[in-house]
Amino acid sequence: MPKKRYHHGNLRLALIEAADNILASSGIEGLSLRKVAQRTGVSATALYSHFADKRELLAELATRGFEQLSVSMSEQGKARGAGESEMVGLARGYVLFAINHPALFRLMFGSGIDDLLEFPALVSAGSKSYAMMTDSLAREIADNGSTTSVSVSGTAAWSMVHGLATLINDGRVTPHTCGVESIDEMITQVSGMLIGCQCTGSTGSS
Amino acid sequence: MPKKRYHHGNLRLALIEAADNILASSGIEGLSLRKVAQRTGVSATALYSHFADKRELLAELATRGFEQLSVSMSEQGKARGAGESEMVGLARGYVLFAINHPALFRLMFGSGIDDLLEFPALVSAGSKSYAMMTDSLAREIADNGSTTSVSVSGTAAWSMVHGLATLINDGRVTPHTCGVESIDEMITQVSGMLIGCQCTGSTGSS
DNA sequence: TGTACATCAGTGAACGCGCGTTCACTGATGTAC
DNA sequence: TGTACATCAGTGAACGCGCGTTCACTGATGTAC
């Protein structure tokens, strides 16, 4: 590929990757179209041949983020240690993705994109991680004969995992506050409590 | 109090309240000093007699937010239903605060303020909610003779409650996806699983 | 009680900045013949 | 194989905007005497 051509070749992909890098290093508020263009070595407006506007670029980033999240979850789900439930593996994949891509994770879940319902690919990619968790959980529950409903357990599991990821990224919990040695141990210990949850159910009566 | 005076009387408080209203209605990205001044009926720069810069105002908002959060938790902790553990009450107070003040909640935990360690009042107010949870949890655990460490249980509990609040605010879970009738039932059901967690501990061996 | 004066809360014009987006354009490319 | 031409990716100047912050200032206030 020669050094300088008028046509880029695959500008769309190059723009996405540049945006991804800027997002990772400067956060969502540091991500401007002008910086994306500059890093790609292209005029500030070349981007409009590939995206309608900024929101469309952000939606693309978020969609790809959800795909990476699913990959991370299923990888860790397969690679889990002996005696660990699949749920713990998925949880580890979820949290590891979040702490390796904090700004992207924030973009995916935060209100960074106004009307995300306008982007069906984003919505469906987003649902996939939840489905992976609840499917796995349904299997565990069936094995255990628990009485707790899958949808409540699924919400609780997703909440715990998502909350842990968020609190770590925001610096609110650390291995030190959790009384363990490493982030990895924190993930394992906390997500290990998930199975305990759906075995015993709530102690609240009423 | 006469209608128009050169000196406001309590401009600092009025600015904080205006900022709070704008935050609630327009979100963090819609909150500018000029709008705060305009809503307060004061020149754009009057604010600088009371705050060093925008960050200081945001830090004040977040600090007050944490104080409100603590109040909500202890109120709901006291008002909990018969048979419910204190933990469930605290969790309900936490989530209700979050969904009643979504933008403020995001400011408090998100990375909206650059160097929040510079604001000791904010840091200590922020720690209080966590302490309330872990203290309550420590009491429950002592009652139950569980073997799980308080710090791991505390992290797990906070994670679940914080995650639920966040996912509700981001529109990722709803009563419908959770298979229940109302937000309130969702809070009760999900946070009710907390006690189950610290009773049984992890099933993971290793 | 009346006056002089220091204090400082609030003013208003102005600054420089980076932003997303528009517009008419230019030039490289691939295809039809 | 060579040429004409339609396509459209990428250009560059310009737009209007709202922003945080600065600066020298003004005028209300409370206090000392």
Side-chain angles (χ1 to χ4, degrees), chain A residues 29 66 82-85 94 106 108-111 116 122-123 126-127 130 148-149 151-153 155-164 166-167 170 172-173 177-180 186 189-190 192-206, chain B residues 29 66 82-85 94 106 108-111 116 122-123 126-127 130 148-149 151-153 155-160 162-164 166-167 170 172-173 177-180 186 188-190 192-206:
Chain A
E29 62 284 343
F66 276 116
E84 281 185 337
S85 76
Y94 194 99
R106 216 186 295 272
M108 287 157 58
F109 286 99
S111 55
L116 60 80
L122 174 52
V123 174
S127 312
Y130 179 60
T148 316
S149 90
S151 41
V152 168
S153 298
T155 303
W158 193 14
S159 293
M160 184 183 285
V161 173
H162 188 79
L164 179 62
T166 305
L167 289 172
D170 291 343
R172 293 281 163 184
V173 308
T177 66
C178 192
V180 299
M186 182 160 56
Q189 290 266 338
V190 170
M193 302 191 72
L194 278 171
I195 309 306
C197 284
Q198 44 92 0
C199 287
T200 62
S202 163
T203 59
S205 60
S206 90
Chain B
E29 63 284 342
F66 276 116
E84 282 185 336
S85 76
Y94 194 99
R106 215 188 294 273
M108 287 156 58
F109 286 99
S111 55
L116 60 80
L122 174 53
V123 174
S127 313
Y130 181 60
T148 316
S149 90
S151 41
V152 168
S153 298
T155 304
W158 193 13
S159 294
M160 184 182 286
H162 188 79
L164 179 61
T166 305
L167 289 173
D170 292 344
R172 293 282 163 185
V173 307
T177 66
C178 193
V180 298
M186 181 159 58
T188 306
Q189 289 267 339
V190 171
M193 301 190 73
L194 278 170
I195 309 306
C197 283
Q198 45 92 1
C199 288
T200 62
S202 163
T203 59
S205 60
S206 92

Side-chain angles (χ1 to χ4, degrees), chain A residues 125-140:
Chain A
S127 312
K128 197 174 165 190
S129 60
Y130 179 60
M132 285 180 70
M133 278 206 195
T134 48
D135 288 356
S136 168
L137 207 53
R139 257 175 270 129
E140 305 261 358

Side-chain angles (χ1 to χ4, degrees), chain A residues 71-151:
Chain A
V71 168
S72 177
M73 286 174 76
S74 63
E75 276 177 4
Q76 294 292 330
K78 282 170 198 147
R80 80 195 114 110
E84 281 185 337
S85 76
E86 186 188 27
M87 234 352 263
V88 173
L90 297 180
R92 193 179 293 126
Y94 194 99
V95 177
L96 285 177
F97 170 82
I99 66 184
N100 285 328
H101 309 88
L104 178 55
F105 186 73
R106 216 186 295 272
L107 170 65
M108 287 157 58
F109 286 99
S111 55
I113 301 158
D114 274 342
D115 249 329
L116 60 80
L117 288 178
E118 277 181 34
F119 302 95
L122 174 52
V123 174
S124 82
S127 312
K128 197 174 165 190
S129 60
Y130 179 60
M132 285 180 70
M133 278 206 195
T134 48
D135 288 356
S136 168
L137 207 53
R139 257 175 270 129
E140 305 261 358
I141 288 179
D143 288 353
N144 289 337
S146 163
T147 58
T148 316
S149 90
V150 178
S151 41

